[in-house]
Short mmCIF file of all heavy atoms in Angstrom, two decimals:
data_model
loop_
_atom_site.label_atom_id
_atom_site.label_comp_id
_atom_site.label_asym_id
_atom_site.label_seq_id
_atom_site.Cartn_x
_atom_site.Cartn_y
_atom_site.Cartn_z
N TRP A 1 0.84 -1.16 0.02
CA TRP A 1 0.01 0.00 -0.06
C TRP A 1 0.87 1.25 -0.03
O TRP A 1 1.77 1.36 0.87
CB TRP A 1 -0.94 0.04 1.24
CG TRP A 1 -2.14 -0.88 1.07
CD1 TRP A 1 -2.25 -2.16 1.60
CD2 TRP A 1 -3.30 -0.60 0.49
NE1 TRP A 1 -3.49 -2.64 1.25
CE2 TRP A 1 -4.16 -1.67 0.56
CE3 TRP A 1 -3.84 0.47 -0.29
CZ2 TRP A 1 -5.48 -1.70 0.00
CZ3 TRP A 1 -5.09 0.48 -0.80
CH2 TRP A 1 -5.88 -0.63 -0.67
N ILE A 2 0.66 2.13 -0.95
CA ILE A 2 1.38 3.36 -1.09
C ILE A 2 0.38 4.55 -0.93
O ILE A 2 -0.62 4.62 -1.59
CB ILE A 2 2.12 3.53 -2.46
CG1 ILE A 2 3.01 2.35 -2.67
CG2 ILE A 2 2.77 4.84 -2.60
CD1 ILE A 2 4.20 2.21 -1.74
N GLY A 3 0.73 5.42 0.07
CA GLY A 3 -0.11 6.59 0.34
C GLY A 3 0.39 7.82 -0.47
O GLY A 3 1.61 8.02 -0.54
N VAL A 4 -0.54 8.57 -1.03
CA VAL A 4 -0.25 9.87 -1.68
C VAL A 4 -1.01 10.94 -1.04
O VAL A 4 -2.31 10.89 -0.98
CB VAL A 4 -0.63 9.75 -3.23
CG1 VAL A 4 -0.30 11.02 -3.92
CG2 VAL A 4 0.06 8.50 -3.84
N ASP A 5 -0.36 11.94 -0.47
CA ASP A 5 -0.96 13.09 0.18
C ASP A 5 -0.62 14.34 -0.68
O ASP A 5 0.53 14.76 -0.66
CB ASP A 5 -0.45 13.26 1.62
CG ASP A 5 -1.14 14.28 2.44
OD1 ASP A 5 -2.05 14.96 1.83
OD2 ASP A 5 -0.85 14.36 3.61
N SER A 6 -1.60 14.89 -1.38
CA SER A 6 -1.30 15.83 -2.44
C SER A 6 -2.06 17.14 -2.37
O SER A 6 -3.18 17.16 -1.85
CB SER A 6 -1.75 15.15 -3.79
OG SER A 6 -1.00 14.00 -4.03
N GLY A 7 -1.44 18.17 -2.90
CA GLY A 7 -2.09 19.48 -3.03
C GLY A 7 -1.64 20.03 -4.41
O GLY A 7 -0.55 19.82 -4.83
N THR A 8 -2.66 20.69 -5.07
CA THR A 8 -2.38 21.25 -6.45
C THR A 8 -2.56 22.68 -6.36
O THR A 8 -3.56 23.22 -5.80
CB THR A 8 -3.36 20.60 -7.44
OG1 THR A 8 -3.06 19.20 -7.49
CG2 THR A 8 -3.18 21.20 -8.80
N HIS A 9 -1.65 23.38 -7.05
CA HIS A 9 -1.71 24.85 -7.13
C HIS A 9 -1.64 25.25 -8.56
O HIS A 9 -0.73 24.83 -9.31
CB HIS A 9 -0.47 25.47 -6.35
CG HIS A 9 -0.33 24.84 -5.00
ND1 HIS A 9 -1.03 25.29 -3.94
CD2 HIS A 9 0.50 23.87 -4.57
CE1 HIS A 9 -0.73 24.60 -2.91
NE2 HIS A 9 0.22 23.68 -3.21
N ILE A 10 -2.65 26.13 -9.03
CA ILE A 10 -2.73 26.54 -10.41
C ILE A 10 -2.54 28.05 -10.51
O ILE A 10 -3.17 28.81 -9.72
CB ILE A 10 -4.12 26.14 -11.03
CG1 ILE A 10 -4.37 24.66 -10.80
CG2 ILE A 10 -4.26 26.60 -12.48
CD1 ILE A 10 -3.51 23.72 -11.67
N SER A 11 -1.75 28.52 -11.45
CA SER A 11 -1.52 29.97 -11.65
C SER A 11 -2.59 30.45 -12.65
O SER A 11 -3.21 29.71 -13.40
CB SER A 11 -0.16 30.33 -12.15
OG SER A 11 -0.03 30.07 -13.53
N SER A 12 -2.74 31.83 -12.69
CA SER A 12 -3.61 32.35 -13.69
C SER A 12 -3.08 32.32 -15.08
O SER A 12 -3.76 32.59 -16.10
CB SER A 12 -3.98 33.84 -13.31
OG SER A 12 -2.74 34.53 -13.29
N LEU A 13 -1.80 31.91 -15.22
CA LEU A 13 -1.16 31.80 -16.53
C LEU A 13 -1.37 30.46 -17.24
O LEU A 13 -0.86 30.25 -18.33
CB LEU A 13 0.32 32.07 -16.38
CG LEU A 13 0.65 33.48 -15.78
CD1 LEU A 13 2.15 33.59 -15.54
CD2 LEU A 13 0.18 34.59 -16.68
N GLY A 14 -2.01 29.55 -16.56
CA GLY A 14 -2.30 28.23 -17.16
C GLY A 14 -1.33 27.11 -16.86
O GLY A 14 -1.29 26.16 -17.53
N HIS A 15 -0.55 27.34 -15.83
CA HIS A 15 0.32 26.26 -15.43
C HIS A 15 0.17 26.03 -13.95
O HIS A 15 -0.34 26.90 -13.14
CB HIS A 15 1.82 26.50 -15.82
CG HIS A 15 2.33 27.78 -15.36
ND1 HIS A 15 2.82 27.92 -14.02
CD2 HIS A 15 2.51 29.01 -15.91
CE1 HIS A 15 3.27 29.19 -13.88
NE2 HIS A 15 3.08 29.82 -15.03
N GLY A 16 0.63 24.89 -13.45
CA GLY A 16 0.57 24.67 -12.00
C GLY A 16 1.48 23.55 -11.64
O GLY A 16 2.29 23.06 -12.39
N CYS A 17 1.28 23.14 -10.36
CA CYS A 17 2.17 22.12 -9.82
C CYS A 17 1.39 21.32 -8.77
O CYS A 17 0.60 21.93 -7.99
CB CYS A 17 3.41 22.81 -9.18
SG CYS A 17 4.60 21.62 -8.53
N THR A 18 1.56 20.01 -8.72
CA THR A 18 0.98 19.19 -7.72
C THR A 18 2.19 18.69 -6.89
O THR A 18 3.20 18.16 -7.45
CB THR A 18 0.24 17.97 -8.28
OG1 THR A 18 -0.84 18.46 -9.04
CG2 THR A 18 -0.25 17.09 -7.23
N LEU A 19 2.11 18.87 -5.60
CA LEU A 19 3.11 18.38 -4.68
C LEU A 19 2.58 17.28 -3.79
O LEU A 19 1.47 17.47 -3.27
CB LEU A 19 3.66 19.53 -3.79
CG LEU A 19 4.25 20.73 -4.58
CD1 LEU A 19 4.60 21.85 -3.66
CD2 LEU A 19 5.46 20.29 -5.38
N SER A 20 3.27 16.16 -3.72
CA SER A 20 2.78 14.96 -2.94
C SER A 20 3.82 14.41 -2.02
O SER A 20 4.97 14.31 -2.44
CB SER A 20 2.37 13.89 -3.94
OG SER A 20 1.41 14.35 -4.87
N ASP A 21 3.38 14.08 -0.80
CA ASP A 21 4.17 13.26 0.10
C ASP A 21 3.79 11.83 -0.18
O ASP A 21 2.60 11.51 -0.37
CB ASP A 21 3.96 13.66 1.55
CG ASP A 21 4.49 15.00 1.89
OD1 ASP A 21 5.56 15.34 1.30
OD2 ASP A 21 4.02 15.65 2.77
N LEU A 22 4.75 10.94 -0.16
CA LEU A 22 4.49 9.52 -0.43
C LEU A 22 4.79 8.66 0.77
O LEU A 22 5.83 8.94 1.46
CB LEU A 22 5.40 9.06 -1.60
CG LEU A 22 5.34 9.89 -2.88
CD1 LEU A 22 6.36 9.42 -3.86
CD2 LEU A 22 3.95 9.75 -3.49
N TYR A 23 3.97 7.71 1.06
CA TYR A 23 4.09 6.90 2.31
C TYR A 23 3.95 5.48 1.94
O TYR A 23 3.33 5.07 1.00
CB TYR A 23 3.01 7.25 3.27
CG TYR A 23 3.02 8.68 3.72
CD1 TYR A 23 2.35 9.69 3.07
CD2 TYR A 23 3.54 8.97 4.95
CE1 TYR A 23 2.43 10.97 3.48
CE2 TYR A 23 3.60 10.32 5.48
CZ TYR A 23 3.03 11.25 4.70
OH TYR A 23 3.02 12.56 5.17
N ASP A 24 4.55 4.58 2.73
CA ASP A 24 4.10 3.20 2.85
C ASP A 24 3.47 3.06 4.25
O ASP A 24 3.30 4.03 4.92
CB ASP A 24 5.25 2.22 2.61
CG ASP A 24 6.31 2.13 3.58
OD1 ASP A 24 6.14 2.76 4.67
OD2 ASP A 24 7.31 1.47 3.41
N GLU A 25 3.09 1.81 4.65
CA GLU A 25 2.35 1.61 5.88
C GLU A 25 3.26 1.90 7.12
O GLU A 25 2.81 2.01 8.23
CB GLU A 25 1.81 0.28 5.93
CG GLU A 25 0.70 0.08 4.91
CD GLU A 25 0.21 -1.35 4.85
OE1 GLU A 25 -0.45 -1.78 5.79
OE2 GLU A 25 0.51 -1.99 3.86
N ASN A 26 4.59 2.09 6.89
CA ASN A 26 5.52 2.36 7.97
C ASN A 26 5.99 3.76 8.07
O ASN A 26 6.78 4.13 8.96
CB ASN A 26 6.75 1.47 7.84
CG ASN A 26 6.38 0.00 7.94
OD1 ASN A 26 5.68 -0.44 8.85
ND2 ASN A 26 6.77 -0.79 7.01
N GLY A 27 5.50 4.69 7.19
CA GLY A 27 5.78 6.07 7.30
C GLY A 27 6.20 6.70 5.94
O GLY A 27 6.12 6.10 4.88
#
């Protein structure tokens, strides 16, 4: 099991970025 904790940020110029922390069941 792999956990993905994500947030997405979009600019008014039409580009953006998603940043994610990745986990397994141990951290």
